[in-house]
Amino acid sequence: MAMMCAVSFTRYGRLYYYAPGPITPRVGDKVLVPTSAGPEVAECIWAPQWVDTYEDAGIGGLEELVGFASPEDLARDERSRERRARARVVAKRQIREQGLPMKVVGVDFVETEKQITVYFSAPQYVDFRELVRTLARELDARIELRQLGARDEARIQGGIGPCGRDTCCSTFLKDFEPVSVRMAKDQDLPVNPLKISGACGRLMCCLKYEHPLYVDTKANAPARGEKVMTPEGPGRVVGLNVPSETVKVRLDETGRTCSCSLASVCGSRQEYESSRKDGSMRWDAE
């Protein structure tokens, strides 16, 4: 058994998982989490809870929280927020004055290194050397500019997906896995960019979540047009509902369409192939 909790650096932002260590934070408590730039202030979103192992929870080994944030830590965090807000305003103004085709997506500030990182998106290559010099002079800090792709831009900005929930990339998704149009076709979704694209304009990451289920179910279920035996009599398959694991069958006797579970209609396709060889067919393909 192990304990874990979830924190976020911004309200409704991405969740990060840690072992609570020597403290037991409650939801809303400000805690210190270890980062490469030193301890940073975050808010506890999920109180510590027991899990069998971190692997069972879908996460690897976790670092421990440093402790509760002190008033000095909160004051430092507030100064950092103000510094980031000012840097964003200055960066947007300079981009507008210099006529650069770029958009500020996010700003990060590391107080220990006195460095400001500006994340931006742009449709093409941008020569921002003059912008870096201007920002370094106005903000009195080291400046680093990083260009982001569409998916990373959506991850930082956040938003609401077509499902009505916060986008996966801005909350829990760690890595972007390849998504293809074939996954949408396998799930019988309309190949319409407006229907299968996320907030970033790319194919929705969630298309990959249920794809293995569709592939496995379709490999073991009777195809459209095949004859099957249902509890209500023989019929022909006219549809398949993968999430509910049911098939729609048009009955031969009455012509009525009924919905039956896969278990009640037939076995796996492998069983079907083997049954054809030994003569004990569960259903007949015509």
Side-chain angles (χ1 to χ4, degrees):
M1 298 287 287
M3 290 195 72
M4 57 168 284
C5 62
V7 304
S8 177
F9 292 97
T10 58
R11 182 61 61 90
Y12 308 119
R14 183 181 177 186
L15 297 180
Y16 296 86
Y17 300 95
Y18 290 89
I23 63 175
T24 306
R26 295 177 298 179
V27 174
D29 285 346
K30 300 293 185 178
V31 297
L32 291 176
V33 299
T35 68
S36 59
E40 294 289 341
V41 177
E43 181 179 352
C44 179
I45 305 300
W46 291 356
Q49 54 185 292
W50 288 101
V51 295
D52 291 337
T53 62
Y54 293 139
E55 288 70 21
D56 292 338
I59 52 181
L62 298 180
E63 294 184 274
E64 290 187 355
L65 296 177
V66 177
F68 288 107
S70 66
E72 292 77 13
D73 295 321
L74 297 178
R76 174 173 55 85
D77 184 61
E78 185 60 29
R79 290 195 303 270
S80 178
R81 291 177 185 274
E82 294 175 356
R83 194 72 183 271
R84 291 197 299 269
R86 180 171 180 270
R88 179 186 286 269
V89 172
V90 173
K92 288 184 175 180
R93 174 166 53 81
Q94 288 298 328
I95 288 173
R96 184 173 60 254
E97 292 178 356
Q98 297 183 26
L100 299 175
M102 53 193 297
K103 181 179 69 173
V104 175
V105 177
V107 177
D108 194 15
F109 173 63
V110 180
E111 186 174 12
T112 55
E113 301 178 6
K114 203 177 180 181
Q115 174 176 309
I116 295 176
T117 303
V118 179
Y119 301 94
F120 72 94
S121 62
Q124 58 191 18
Y125 170 77
V126 179
D127 184 357
F128 49 72
R129 288 174 293 182
E130 180 61 30
L131 175 63
V132 171
R133 288 191 288 266
T134 304
L135 293 179
R137 184 171 56 253
E138 288 201 29
L139 299 174
D140 188 25
R142 292 173 50 202
I143 303 297
E144 180 179 357
L145 268 69
R146 294 185 182 178
Q147 185 171 357
L148 301 178
R151 292 187 184 274
D152 287 311
E153 179 183 356
R155 165 183 283 177
I156 291 180
Q157 289 186 324
I160 303 299
C163 60
R165 304 184 64 178
D166 292 330
T167 52
C168 300
C169 59
S170 63
T171 51
F172 67 88
L173 198 62
K174 294 183 178 180
D175 301 309
F176 294 118
E177 299 186 22
V179 183
S180 64
V181 176
R182 169 57 59 185
M183 295 181 180
K185 293 181 178 179
D186 290 342
Q187 298 176 51
D188 299 324
L189 296 174
V191 187
N192 183 340
L194 297 178
K195 298 290 187 181
I196 59 177
S197 297
C200 60
R202 303 293 192 269
L203 293 174
M204 293 187 295
C205 295
C206 58
L207 289 176
K208 190 174 181 63
Y209 297 166
E210 295 182 354
H211 183 249
L213 173 64
Y214 276 80
V215 173
D216 181 68
T217 302
K218 289 186 176 182
N220 293 283
R224 291 176 182 268
E226 292 186 357
K227 296 198 68 176
V228 297
M229 177 61 68
T230 74
E232 300 184 36
R236 192 179 298 273
V237 175
V238 295
L240 175 65
N241 189 321
V242 174
S244 64
E245 295 187 347
T246 59
V247 292
K248 288 185 177 180
V249 180
R250 180 174 290 111
L251 301 176
D252 293 340
E253 186 175 350
T254 62
R256 185 172 60 86
T257 301
C258 66
S259 180
C260 306
S261 66
L262 283 174
S264 66
V265 171
C266 59
S268 66
R269 187 174 297 275
Q270 289 79 4
E271 291 176 349
Y272 166 67
E273 295 295 343
S274 62
S275 65
R276 287 186 60 116
K277 295 177 181 180
D278 58 24
S280 56
M281 290 189 294
R282 296 287 299 275
W283 69 82
D284 295 320
E286 293 185 353

